[in-house]
Amino acid sequence: MATGKTTLAQVLSSQIGLPLFDLARYKPVGDSTLTGLLTGGFRVEDLSRVFEGIAQGAFGVIVDGIDEGRSKTTEKAFEAFLDDIARLCRNAPATSFVLLGRTQT
């Protein structure tokens, strides 16, 4: 059943200008997955600005398909993925991570 979460993610990404990572399109998640996606998704010269922005709560990321990311891996690897998100923004006064997924899974 379609819920519109991917459409919502695409509209948010387009209108706000945040990068969108759809976990349904990637290999199973694990430790440093988000760091790797960011590193692969931006130019080398922009990476410092991106990681500093996340650490300061001034840069956001949309992650769609969190349920699909969870279904393709082990509990431990998925927790490592979530830990990667938390590590990237642990000292930020505000964070801008939008995680979208089905609640029934």
Side-chain angles (χ1 to χ4, degrees), residues 18-19 24 26 31 33 35 38 41 51 64 68 75 77 79 82 89 94:
L18 298 178
Y26 294 97
D31 188 36
T33 297
T35 301
L38 291 168
F51 285 109
D64 188 23
E68 294 179 56
E75 188 68 27
E79 287 176 7
L82 296 177
C89 61

Side-chain angles (χ1 to χ4, degrees), residues 25-78:
R25 302 175 70 207
Y26 294 97
K27 294 180 181 180
V29 297
D31 188 36
S32 298
T33 297
L34 184 60
T35 301
L37 290 173
L38 291 168
T39 301
F42 289 91
R43 298 176 324 160
V44 172
E45 53 270 15
D46 294 333
L47 288 174
S48 178
R49 177 185 57 81
V50 168
F51 285 109
E52 286 174 15
I54 289 172
Q56 296 169 358
F59 186 82
V61 176
I62 301 170
V63 180
D64 188 23
I66 196 88
D67 54 318
E68 294 179 56
R70 169 61 192 99
S71 70
K72 293 193 271 185
T73 193
T74 65
E75 188 68 27
K76 189 171 185 171
F78 187 70

